[in-house]
Amino acid sequence: MASPIRLRTMQVEQTWVGGRMMWDIFCHAGLVPASNVPHTEAMRERLPCVYMMASGFLGTLYVGVTSNLVGRVMQHREGTFEGFTKRYGCELLVWYDVGETMETAIAREKTIKKWPRDWTCNLIERTNPEWNDLAVGLGLEPLS
């Protein structure tokens, strides 16, 4: 029997700041993949995250780091910047981990980027075996 996973959920709120849309993340006890940081209910903050985008099930992978996960996923989906994720169609958020600081998140990203592909796929499949788009759980619309 598999052991239960204690994770947390996030809610997203949009606000306009200086003419730009900003996304704030509200964390609540519940479900969030790969989270290992203790949280209080209704905590509002920018969270340093390591994340993985994929082109599909067992598809091309991109590993990145950000302090604004929802905003960064939106940029990947919209193809805001030229680069790897736009070229290879990496639009599904398949894994993320909230770090304590940006420095620890960056160190984790660098470590994961050095791993063999099967290790990375196993990491994803521990919390997301079907490679579902986790961005939907963060309040973004499902991809068509």
Side-chain angles (χ1 to χ4, degrees):
M1 179 177 190
S3 61
I5 299 172
R6 179 155 159 62
L7 304 168
R8 64 186 173 129
T9 57
M10 293 184 178
Q11 292 180 349
V12 180
E13 180 180 283
Q14 302 174 11
T15 55
W16 288 95
V17 177
R20 292 183 52 204
M21 177 66 74
M22 302 299 287
W23 294 86
D24 293 314
I25 299 174
F26 294 87
C27 302
H28 303 279
L31 297 172
V32 168
S35 176
N36 60 359
V37 179
H39 298 294
T40 59
E41 199 148 320
M43 180 173 65
R44 180 179 171 164
E45 64 181 310
R46 288 203 177 269
L47 299 170
C49 294
V50 182
Y51 65 97
M52 283 191 244
M53 304 293 292
S55 60
F57 183 75
L58 294 174
T60 304
L61 292 173
Y62 171 81
V63 180
V65 67
T66 185
S67 64
N68 182 352
L69 183 60
V70 172
R72 188 68 179 115
V73 170
M74 288 177 57
Q75 290 173 340
H76 286 298
R77 285 178 162 201
E78 295 166 359
T80 305
F81 302 105
E82 295 295 324
F84 185 90
T85 56
K86 185 174 181 180
R87 187 174 328 118
Y88 293 100
C90 298
E91 297 179 342
L92 299 173
L93 176 66
V94 292
W95 179 89
Y96 62 96
D97 185 13
V98 179
E100 292 181 19
T101 66
M102 199 58 170
E103 291 75 21
T104 58
I106 291 168
R108 177 102 162 119
E109 174 202 25
K110 289 179 180 181
T111 300
I112 292 170
K113 283 185 173 185
K114 293 177 184 177
W115 286 0
R117 179 178 168 82
D118 58 333
W119 292 14
T120 308
C121 291
N122 286 337
L123 179 63
I124 293 165
E125 290 174 359
R126 275 192 235 148
T127 55
N128 187 5
E130 296 179 6
W131 292 52
N132 294 320
D133 187 9
L134 303 176
V136 173
L138 298 177
L140 296 179
E141 293 293 319
L143 293 171
S144 52

